[in-house]
Amino acid sequence: KCYESALLLYRRVGDVIGEASCISGLGSIAQTRSEYEEARQQLEVALPLYQRMGSVVGEANCISGLGSIAQARSEYEEARQQLEVALPLHQRMGSVIGEANCIVHLGQIAQAQSEYEEARQQYEAALSLYQRVGDVTGEALCLHGKGRIYLEQQPADYDRAESYFQDALKLAHRDGHRWNVAYFTISLGELAIATGDNEKARQLLEESLATFRSFPTPEWIGKAHKQLARLETGEQKLAHLCVARRAWQKVGLNNLIAELETEYSEIDFSQCPAVGEDEY
């Protein structure tokens, strides 16, 4: 509401940078809420406004945002291209955090494609930049990323993964970043499943789910339910999978739906029970 009110005022006085900032801010809100199509549209409106006014930082931020949206949709080649365009723009303007953010996303893309050594190098490079400027949130994301590598690569190193996750979680609590707390906690839940501590896993995943619902962010609501399904059988398992699928349908994350249907090919999703809009 604040952005929309300010947007009208900026347009009234012809302040193009202010207008672009409001539009990109609305895009950021949509992105946080997993509304990626709306976020993309907002950033594509803001981008030429920044370019017209010669705002390289604004241009770089929009392109970075478009890259992270493509990443969320598993459009990794497009995401990489966008981030590689944005990265030198951030560097040219001396935006250390913008530079580091691009590098983190490039690391996450490499990790998603099982290119773990490249991902590790990207996280190390970004971590150094975040530490230089005292960005605790960015530092936590790098530590979490390194933990994910130890969880995902084979053979997994659960002890090192947990150490990185706990370090990231401490920083997120210190920074008061509720979303990151839930994001890191869901990884601890996955780790608990992997080590056979199902009760701990359920507690951690339900904590994450409650936070993701409070935003809400359907992408991660669905991911929490997908992990919770691993702890259940029969109708309870189906219920979690159905909620995950509907959450992703709500925001057009067809890539995640396709992964779910491939992983659970034995599930007949047409049998999902009807639910209300407040299920999330």
Side-chain angles (χ1 to χ4, degrees):
K1 289 180 180 179
C2 289
Y3 277 132
E4 288 172 349
S5 297
L7 178 59
L8 295 175
L9 297 174
Y10 281 127
R11 282 176 170 164
R12 187 191 306 171
V13 297
D15 187 326
V16 178
I17 294 293
E19 178 182 358
S21 296
C22 289
I23 295 169
S24 62
L26 289 167
S28 294
I29 292 171
Q31 189 171 347
T32 300
R33 294 168 64 91
S34 308
E35 297 166 353
Y36 292 114
E37 183 55 31
E38 180 183 344
R40 182 189 64 77
Q41 292 174 5
Q42 298 281 25
L43 292 177
E44 288 182 346
V45 171
L47 177 58
L49 297 178
Y50 282 127
Q51 290 171 326
R52 188 203 317 168
M53 301 305 295
S55 174
V56 178
V57 171
E59 177 183 3
N61 287 335
C62 283
I63 296 171
S64 299
L66 290 168
S68 64
I69 290 167
Q71 177 190 340
R73 290 172 159 175
S74 303
E75 298 166 353
Y76 295 126
E77 189 54 39
E78 179 183 343
R80 197 189 304 270
Q81 290 174 2
Q82 296 276 28
L83 291 163
E84 288 176 348
V85 169
L87 180 58
L89 296 178
H90 286 299
Q91 291 169 328
R92 178 169 27 133
M93 299 306 294
S95 175
V96 177
I97 293 177
E99 177 184 359
N101 288 344
C102 283
I103 295 171
V104 164
H105 282 293
L106 288 168
Q108 291 171 343
I109 291 167
Q111 186 175 333
Q113 299 178 310
S114 301
E115 299 166 357
Y116 294 119
E117 186 53 38
E118 179 184 343
R120 184 179 288 106
Q121 292 174 7
Q122 300 281 28
Y123 290 140
E124 290 287 356
L127 179 60
S128 177
L129 294 172
Y130 285 129
Q131 289 174 330
R132 187 201 308 172
V133 296
D135 188 306
V136 175
T137 296
E139 184 178 350
L141 286 171
C142 292
L143 295 175
H144 174 261
K146 292 171 73 174
R148 293 290 315 179
I149 292 173
Y150 285 111
L151 177 61
E152 294 173 15
Q153 68 182 3
Q154 298 299 319
D157 188 334
Y158 297 136
D159 289 340
R160 296 187 74 175
E162 181 170 17
S163 178
Y164 277 115
F165 291 157
Q166 291 291 359
D167 287 346
L169 189 60
K170 288 175 186 175
L171 291 177
H173 278 298
R174 192 174 93 194
D175 201 33
H177 201 303
R178 289 177 57 245
W179 196 95
N180 275 354
V181 168
Y183 178 50
F184 302 152
T185 300
I186 201 172
S187 287
L188 284 166
E190 290 182 56
L191 177 60
I193 293 174
T195 56
D197 193 341
N198 288 354
E199 197 53 44
K200 179 180 178 182
R202 182 175 286 103
Q203 177 185 345
L204 291 168
L205 293 168
E206 288 176 351
E207 287 177 10
S208 295
L209 180 58
T211 301
F212 291 136
R213 280 173 172 162
S214 72
F215 278 87
T217 174
E219 176 184 1
W220 287 93
I221 289 171
K223 288 181 177 180
H225 277 289
K226 184 180 177 183
Q227 292 300 323
L228 284 164
R230 296 172 62 189
L231 302 172
E232 306 294 350
T233 58
E235 291 184 3
Q236 289 180 310
K237 185 184 193 74
L238 176 63
H240 282 300
L241 294 174
C242 288
V243 173
R245 189 173 184 272
R246 278 192 293 268
W248 296 333
Q249 282 179 323
K250 184 177 181 180
V251 289
L253 284 170
N254 296 326
N255 54 313
L256 298 182
I257 294 171
E259 290 175 11
L260 184 74
E261 292 177 346
T262 298
E263 183 175 350
Y264 291 96
S265 57
E266 75 281 8
I267 299 291
D268 181 3
F269 286 98
S270 69
Q271 300 302 310
C272 286
V275 292
E277 284 296 311
D278 60 348
E279 69 169 316
Y280 303 121

